[in-house]
Amino acid sequence: MGLKMTIRHCLLGSCAFLLLASACATSSKTAKPGRGLAKKKGSAAKAAPAEAKAAPSESSSNDKSKSKVQPSAAAKAPKGAAVVEAKKPPPPPPPPPPPPEPEIPSKLREPLYCPTPSEVQPGIDLTIRCAVKPALATRAVVLQYRLSGAERFVSTDATRSPKGWYVVKIKGNDVKGTSLQFFAQAYNSNNKMTASNGTDESPNILLIRKAASGTAEMGGAELPVSDEDPLARIQRERALESGLSTEVRHRPARNLWLALGLGSGYGWFPTRTPELYTGASVKGWASGGILHLLPEIGYQWTDHIAFSLQGRYQFVHTEAIGNAGNAEPKSWAFAVLGRMYLFTDNLFGGTRSLQLFATGNLGAGTAFRLYVAPSPSATNSNANFVHSDTVNGGPFAAGLGGGVVYHLTNTFALAAELRALAGFWDVATVIEAGLSAQVGVWSPGTRKVAAPKPETELAPEPEYTPPE
């Protein structure tokens, strides 16, 4: 009984022990995974900084590998590009800036002023500048130029610069040969020519010399000079002074002028009856009187043609011997002559300040008288003249003349003339010399109109910087 109880207790105890052991085993199994997860979490937390540290190293290694790879690929590409760039020509250097535009002189010696040098260079752009006196109220300036070997002039309208010059640019391709001719004309709002510088018959001539560097600028008398020349400024100043000293002066076209002159002459007449002693017969050479006045009004139609009306009032010397009696000889003569002038240029060194001219004369009146000395005289030995007498040539008179005129300014000139007049129906001739002063008094088209606005000055272009 006791043994049975002991065995039963042992079995129950072993069963309880087994149950307890299995329960402990189960609890230990469930507890171990939690600890492992915690350990894993801890290890992961420790591994994160390591991975963070490793990541840069990996990225840096990747970058290094990429940098090692990229230069090789880039090295291959730029080599080809460098070869292509080497074959291309270098960009051209920027053109030199044009010289600054000169100022217009405060006083212009002629209505249309176009300063030019005597020589220009071929193959370079040519700039011609002209200035007009403000009183002319100019609307436009037209420049006409003729290339070397060409038959006709090329007409070009000038543009107004900001400083007031009228500018025409001729391309360098047209500047060739031995010379270039040009002349300029100014027009008012009514399209009437108010001034000119040269004409188609007598243009300005520019000689073309061998090529050199630079750009020809005419206007302010700038000569083409090399950019490397340290004396360029001095040369331009000397050219300007030379241009001013050789500036031509002449009366402009479309100009009304007045003149006053004095003259005297000597004539010849065939066998004639004198005016006082009608019963006598005289002939030979005789004086044309003391002097004669020559008032004149004229119109300068072009640079080479002018028309005028001239009065000729002659004073004849009278003389008496013995008892003169009541008879009085004629002591004056008067005529009105229509005249035409033809002027020539390019004489006496090529200056138009000094011009030769020829005249044609036709008029009427008492014309002119020749002096006949009283008797006894070698010319009148067949008559007993108490008084001197006269022979009339007229009432019509015609003749030719020629002379020289010097323009002190564009409006004032001095002229000297020698001419021969023939009188008819009463036949006689006289050769006379005269001096006169001519003054320009008026030019049509001086009504003030709005001047053209100057062109807006363009902003300067940015400087060219060559690529490295």
Side-chain angles (χ1 to χ4, degrees):
M1 188 74 179
L3 184 60
K4 290 181 179 181
M5 288 297 294
T6 303
I7 294 170
R8 184 182 293 176
H9 285 281
C10 291
L11 290 173
L12 291 173
S14 60
C15 289
F17 178 77
L18 291 174
L19 289 173
L20 182 61
S22 62
C24 290
T26 304
S27 63
S28 64
K29 286 180 180 180
T30 56
K32 285 180 180 178
R35 291 178 182 175
L37 181 59
K39 290 180 180 179
K40 285 181 181 180
K41 288 182 179 179
S43 63
K46 293 179 180 179
E51 289 178 359
K53 293 179 181 178
S57 63
E58 289 177 1
S59 62
S60 62
S61 64
N62 291 337
D63 291 341
K64 289 180 181 179
S65 62
K66 287 181 181 179
S67 64
K68 290 180 181 179
V69 174
Q70 286 177 357
S72 62
K76 292 180 181 179
K79 284 182 180 178
V83 172
V84 175
E85 290 178 359
K87 292 181 180 179
K88 292 182 179 179
E101 186 177 43
E103 299 290 341
I104 296 179
S106 57
K107 293 183 179 180
L108 301 179
R109 296 185 180 180
E110 52 186 335
L112 182 56
Y113 172 64
C114 300
T116 58
S118 58
E119 292 183 348
V120 296
Q121 299 174 0
I124 60 174
D125 293 342
L126 191 61
T127 301
I128 300 178
R129 295 186 179 93
C130 295
V132 188
K133 286 188 175 181
L136 297 181
T138 302
R139 180 189 61 83
V141 171
V142 177
L143 184 102
Q144 299 194 42
Y145 65 93
R146 179 164 58 191
L147 307 178
S148 180
E151 297 182 358
R152 298 182 178 181
F153 284 88
V154 178
S155 180
T156 305
D157 293 334
T159 58
R160 193 80 180 274
S161 72
K163 292 187 178 180
W165 290 97
Y166 288 89
V167 182
V168 171
K169 294 184 178 181
I170 302 175
K171 294 183 178 180
N173 296 333
D174 293 337
V175 184
K176 57 186 177 180
T178 58
S179 65
L180 185 144
Q181 302 175 358
F182 81 92
F183 65 95
Q185 296 173 328
Y187 293 86
N188 62 9
S189 58
N190 297 324
N191 288 329
K192 290 184 178 180
M193 188 174 67
T194 57
S196 65
N197 189 305
T199 63
D200 56 346
E201 297 177 357
S202 179
N204 301 302
I205 300 176
L206 303 177
L207 299 179
I208 300 177
R209 59 182 178 181
K210 293 183 179 180
S213 62
T215 300
E217 293 283 338
M218 289 183 286
E222 296 184 12
L223 288 175
V225 294
S226 174
D227 296 335
E228 291 78 13
D229 188 358
L231 301 178
R233 183 181 297 276
I234 298 176
Q235 290 178 357
R236 285 195 294 268
E237 292 176 355
R238 288 180 179 176
L240 177 60
E241 294 176 358
S242 176
L244 293 177
S245 63
T246 59
E247 183 182 2
V248 297
R249 300 175 295 275
H250 67 101
R251 184 165 49 235
R254 313 292 183 183
N255 183 263
L256 188 69
W257 50 274
L258 299 176
L260 180 63
L262 296 174
S264 183
Y266 203 80
W268 178 87
F269 56 92
T271 302
R272 292 277 306 279
T273 299
E275 293 184 288
L276 180 62
Y277 295 97
T278 57
S281 179
V282 294
K283 67 176 181 178
W285 294 90
S287 169
I290 304 173
L291 57 86
H292 48 265
L293 295 177
L294 299 169
E296 187 174 8
I297 180 171
Y299 181 69
Q300 190 75 34
W301 187 35
T302 68
D303 286 344
H304 299 89
I305 300 175
F307 300 96
S308 72
L309 284 177
Q310 183 185 67
R312 184 184 185 277
Y313 191 86
Q314 178 186 2
F315 297 94
V316 182
H317 173 65
T318 60
E319 187 177 358
I321 59 174
N323 185 9
N326 296 325
E328 293 289 339
K330 303 292 183 181
S331 61
W332 58 272
F334 181 77
V336 176
L337 301 173
R339 290 160 54 85
M340 177 180 178
Y341 287 83
L342 295 177
F343 294 92
T344 59
D345 291 334
N346 301 323
L347 298 173
F348 303 104
T351 172
R352 289 189 298 165
S353 300
L354 188 64
Q355 294 179 294
L356 293 181
F357 64 88
T359 61
N361 305 266
L362 179 63
T366 52
F368 59 88
R369 286 188 165 96
L370 299 178
Y371 167 81
V372 179
S375 180
S377 69
T379 58
N380 300 299
S381 58
N382 61 342
N384 186 15
F385 290 173
V386 177
H387 271 291
S388 62
D389 208 341
T390 55
V391 172
N392 176 249
F396 302 101
L400 299 175
V404 60
V405 58
Y406 183 76
H407 299 273
L408 298 174
T409 68
N410 292 319
T411 57
F412 182 75
L414 297 176
E417 182 183 7
L418 182 67
R419 69 181 175 184
L421 292 177
F424 56 94
W425 305 115
D426 293 334
V427 178
T429 61
V430 63
I431 299 174
E432 57 187 25
L435 295 173
S436 64
Q438 302 174 353
V439 180
V441 294
W442 179 73
S443 292
T446 57
R447 181 173 59 88
K448 293 185 178 181
V449 296
K453 295 182 179 180
E455 295 180 352
T456 56
E457 189 171 2
L458 299 178
E461 296 182 358
E463 296 183 358
Y464 174 80
T465 303
E468 297 181 355

